[in-house]
Amino acid sequence: MTITSTGRAGRQLHGGPVTYAVLTLFTAGSLFPLVWTAIAASRDNTRLARTPPPFWFGGRLLKNLGTAWGDAHMGLALFNTTLVAGTIALGTVLFSTVAGFAFAKLRFRFRDALLLLTIGTMMIPPQLSVVPLFMVVAGLGWTDQLQSVVLPTLVSAFGVFFMRQYLVEALPTELIEAARVDGANSLRVVWHIVLPVARPAMAVLGMLSFVQAWNDFFWPIIALTQENPTVQVALTGLGRGYVPDQAVVMAGALLGTLPLLLAFTLFGRQIVGGIMQGAVKG
């Protein structure tokens, strides 16, 4: 296979041996942690403690996966994490797009001040909000319930800023004015103009939000327990004990990673296509 791309004059640009070597090196470096996790998950704890560590698969992968699935309630954890991450990604994309459109194209009092205030919240360490947030969650009776993880992260300052910056360049003001002249209200402008134009950026933001919510550990470990866990909370249960079984922990980590790999395999082309479409429009 030859790597080609079309230049401005229609000339085909071909990738040479150096390109293949660099791509192979980066691919191997990216895949090594996943491959090592699978290798460690297929061994036993005694073999992992030896030096040098194993560099090839053993015969205990299915047994360790079954142990991790049962001990960590991984079925419930995967369902909860999919629900939480999907809801957070959907809410972040929707609310951030609408707020980004307002900051980018609408005129209202204190717009710039509110934007600066929104961006300023990104500089506040999340650890400072844990105590008051937990007090609110406990007062509402939401401890160990999924809404305690979903609602505080339905919108992010980064998402608002990201969508605002994209819509400033990608959405012509004349297009909005033309829709207003045709009698479109704000809801129709958002639905028929803003969302189609913002689709590439929404795909990127949705991907980033989903992955971040899937891997989030700090707040879920405080708000949830092993009885109703997300994947990251469930994995902490595998590491307990005087001598944790590292092979089972690796098997649990592999189970928690496979859904993300499946999602990227199924939707990776659409995500990359959306990114490229936004790059061309920009």
Side-chain angles (χ1 to χ4, degrees):
M1 184 181 70
T2 303
I3 301 176
T4 62
S5 62
T6 303
R8 290 186 177 180
R11 183 167 55 89
Q12 295 291 327
L13 304 178
H14 299 268
V18 176
T19 303
Y20 282 107
V22 172
L23 289 177
T24 301
L25 182 62
F26 276 94
T27 301
S30 301
L31 291 178
F32 178 75
L34 179 63
V35 174
W36 165 249
T37 301
I39 292 174
S42 66
R43 297 286 182 163
D44 56 28
N45 214 28
T46 303
R47 180 61 186 89
L48 292 180
R50 297 177 187 171
T51 303
F55 292 101
W56 192 245
F57 297 92
R60 296 174 56 90
L61 180 60
L62 294 180
K63 181 179 180 180
N64 289 337
L65 289 175
T67 302
W69 183 276
D71 291 352
H73 306 289
M74 193 59 67
L76 176 62
L78 288 173
F79 175 80
N80 288 345
T81 309
T82 303
L83 180 62
V84 168
T87 305
I88 290 175
L90 182 63
T92 299
V93 168
L94 179 61
F95 294 134
S96 297
T97 302
V98 175
F101 164 66
F103 282 123
K105 296 299 178 179
L106 300 184
R107 298 291 181 265
F108 53 91
R109 295 182 62 184
F110 309 117
R111 184 188 67 171
D112 295 338
L114 288 174
L115 179 60
L116 289 176
L117 181 63
T118 301
I119 297 174
T121 60
M122 298 171 61
M123 295 182 285
I124 301 176
Q127 291 82 357
L128 296 180
S129 63
V130 167
V131 174
L133 182 58
F134 185 80
M135 292 175 64
V136 172
V137 168
L140 294 173
W142 287 355
T143 53
D144 201 25
Q145 297 184 27
L146 297 183
Q147 59 263 34
S148 64
V149 179
V150 172
L151 292 181
T153 52
L154 273 182
V155 65
S156 67
F158 168 78
V160 173
F161 178 73
F162 178 80
M163 295 305 302
R164 186 261 179 192
Q165 293 300 105
Y166 179 84
L167 291 173
V168 164
E169 300 292 337
L171 181 60
T173 305
E174 294 79 7
L175 188 60
I176 301 174
E177 294 175 349
R180 296 289 192 187
V181 171
D182 290 339
N185 55 25
S186 298
L187 182 60
R188 293 194 63 182
V189 169
V190 171
W191 184 259
H192 293 287
I193 297 178
V194 177
L195 294 185
V197 171
R199 190 175 301 166
M202 292 169 64
V204 176
L205 180 60
M207 175 189 66
L208 295 176
S209 301
F210 185 87
V211 173
Q212 181 179 8
W214 187 279
N215 294 325
D216 190 17
F217 173 77
F218 180 68
W219 173 242
I221 194 63
I222 298 174
L224 302 177
T225 66
Q226 294 292 332
E227 301 301 323
N228 191 32
T230 58
V231 167
Q232 308 306 323
V233 176
L235 291 179
T236 61
L238 295 176
R240 296 177 179 176
Y242 185 74
V243 181
D245 193 334
Q246 297 297 333
V248 175
V249 173
M250 289 296 183
L254 187 63
L255 286 173
T257 306
L258 289 178
L260 284 180
L261 296 178
L262 180 62
F264 278 108
T265 301
L266 295 177
F267 304 109
R269 180 172 298 180
Q270 288 80 358
I271 294 173
V272 174
I275 297 172
M276 296 303 298
Q277 181 183 357
V280 172
K281 285 186 177 181

